[in-house]
Amino acid sequence: MPISKSLIIKTAMILFLAAYLVLIYTSDNAKNVPMDDIAAQMESSDTLTAMQKRDKGDLQRYYSIMDTDTDGFLFYKDVSPMSVNEMLIVKAGNKSDAEKFLEAAEAHLESQENVFGAYGTDQMALLGDASVESRGDYVWYMCGPDASAWHDAFMKLI
Amino acid sequence: MVFSSIFFIFCFLPIFMLIYYLVPGKGKDIVLIIGSLLFYAWGEPKYVILLIFSAVFNYFMGLELNDCPEESRRLNMVFTVVVNLFILGFFKYYAFLLDSIGSVFRITLSHPELSLPIGISFYTFKNLSYILDVYNDKIDPEPNFLTFCVYSMMFPHMAAGPIVRYADIEHQLVRHPVSIPKFGVGAEYFIKGLAKKVILADNLAVIYAAISSRGSNAVLTAWIGIFAYTMQIYFDFSGYSDMAIGLGKMLGFDFLKNFDYPYLSENVAEFWRRWHISLGSWFRDYIYIPLGGNRVSVPKHIRNILVVWALTGLWHGASWNFVLWGVYYGLLLLLEKFVLGNVLDSLPVFVRRIYTMFCVMIGWVFFSQTSFPGIAKYLGTMFGPAASGFADTATFYYFRTGIVLFVICIIACRPNLQNQFRKLMKRNMAVAIAIDVILLALATAFMVYNSYSPFLYQQF
């Protein structure tokens, strides 16, 4: 029996769907690594610890995120108010919270761009290269000359 | 992108509308599709592929159902329904299923938590209604791919409904002329919906969030909290529906209403004929009636009602509290149908309305509290056992700070305000427009001041 055109189209659509779902499934996946382990590994970088480690008060101040809503966070920010260097990694309890944290991080980036947009050429260049993303339950904001190294180190962990 | 954002209202919408109105004829459809894809891609570009796939797949299968031999029609219909439900299940119910199996067998089934594509429940149900209507010969399949894409992907009702059926807008899809008066009516709907969302719902949300996050509450505080949530969810969702209907009118479409003053209902059955009308009618036409509806034996009728309401609950979210919420309504409807029917009819209208609001407010506890301990604790507080007292200083604080908002909400829940406004529009258009401008300015001020606040139903 010859294979009909419609069967070929249906098979192609299902194969496409399967490939797409596999891609989504794997790209959004992250290992479940405790924040303490992540902090221990990330803090082995001198470029990170050269900044000031921030607490839950600063997390709320800069990102409007309550630490009690998270499963842990690691937050470093430069002392100088003229610097845009900072790194935040937040672990959310579920995907819904992760989405909220990502929106908060995106809002922080937008706010920084508004602050430095008028005069901070160097800062704007760094903000333009900032990494604000999420994978699995993790959300991160990384900005600074060493942001890509922090990003690579973190990707290896999750 | 959400409707209630500065970017959407003052950037995306004006530019999109300008292009839409300037482009002639069928070119409007292309503008609408591109605009819808941009709107959708703004938040999560990776799921645009899924939206496009859903449109392509259902368009093709609609034609296939029409062209295939009679003996393979049923197979093709089942195949299409299974693929649509598989996609929905993959994103929405997969983790829930694994967690549920894990908790039954006390094992941990690890899985990544995928983010839910915005509006997936709405566009899946919309496309399913199209396929089932084609299969049942209620409609002819849409031959034009662009026209089908307009139906399947149009941004006004993409994210949170209403679940518009192809049969209801079939002729409008072919021809949807725009006009300045219709644009004006649409803008009025949109502003009214925006005001409901950002002036009322978002401020009510603050009250409920504050009360429900407290360690313990007095009885009256818990009732104030659930009253705030009851109003919040109505103004949030009906606000979105108004905005969707308004945007539809601006684009030349007329969508059916999704709410009909549900809090004036005199029984629970009536409430569900007035609340989220497009979802209720979807389950009625595609699940309840095919199961036999009420034209079966009493045990099967009871089964049909419980199945439909458990599924209605599950549609809202992959969590047991939503199933419980659905079953709660199924049981209430059974109670009204088989036990309370005549008793309720003999009561004064205001007593019937209080009864309905009581049932609905209890229902929102199941809906808003996502865990069983949370539900038990909140209900326990409302009825005394878990309360810290009958009333305390917090009760008076929330009552004092919320009373003006509550009174406005109670007035806005009734049709009188809208009727008066319509009369005013006929008598003095300039004053009516001035009121709309003030509402828009107020809503804008709230949007600037408040943080990002998506619609509650957008998460479904």
Side-chain angles (χ1 to χ4, degrees), chain A residues 6 9-10 13-14 16-17 20-21 24-25 28-29 93-95 99 103, chain B residues 46-47 49-50 53 57 60 64 76 79 83 86 91 94 112-113 115 452:
Chain A
S6 78
I9 295 173
K10 276 184 263 186
M13 285 196 288
I14 293 304
F16 176 83
L17 177 66
Y20 172 74
L21 293 182
I24 289 284
Y25 190 88
D28 204 24
N29 204 351
N94 55 56
K95 196 70 196 174
E99 285 168 11
E103 280 152 16
Chain B
K46 64 183 175 184
Y47 289 141
I49 307 266
L50 194 66
F53 174 84
F57 177 73
F60 175 78
E64 177 73 359
N76 271 314
F79 168 72
V83 170
F86 173 77
F91 286 100
Y94 160 78
E113 281 204 50
S115 55
Y452 173 76

Side-chain angles (χ1 to χ4, degrees), chain A residues 90-151:
Chain A
V90 188
K91 189 178 182 190
N94 55 56
K95 196 70 196 174
S96 170
D97 282 348
E99 285 168 11
K100 285 182 200 157
F101 298 160
L102 181 62
E103 280 152 16
E106 286 167 346
H108 179 63
L109 177 63
E110 197 179 323
S111 156
Q112 289 285 79
E113 285 171 341
N114 289 339
V115 169
F116 292 100
Y119 58 90
T121 318
D122 296 341
Q123 289 95 329
M124 284 303 285
L126 290 170
L127 289 167
D129 293 334
S131 166
V132 182
E133 294 170 63
S134 76
R135 180 182 285 192
D137 291 337
Y138 298 95
V139 174
W140 63 90
Y141 175 106
M142 296 173 182
C143 182
D146 301 298
S148 92
W150 301 335
H151 182 266

Side-chain angles (χ1 to χ4, degrees), chain B residues 273-287:
Chain B
R273 288 194 295 273
R274 289 165 171 262
W275 178 277
H276 202 175
I277 297 166
S278 61
L279 181 71
S281 63
W282 197 100
F283 273 103
R284 183 195 64 213
D285 293 347
Y286 300 110
I287 306 283

Side-chain angles (χ1 to χ4, degrees), chain B residues 12 16 29-39:
Chain B
F12 179 87
F16 169 79
D29 287 354
I30 295 168
V31 174
L32 183 49
I33 292 166
I34 293 170
S36 298
L37 290 174
L38 270 175
F39 174 87

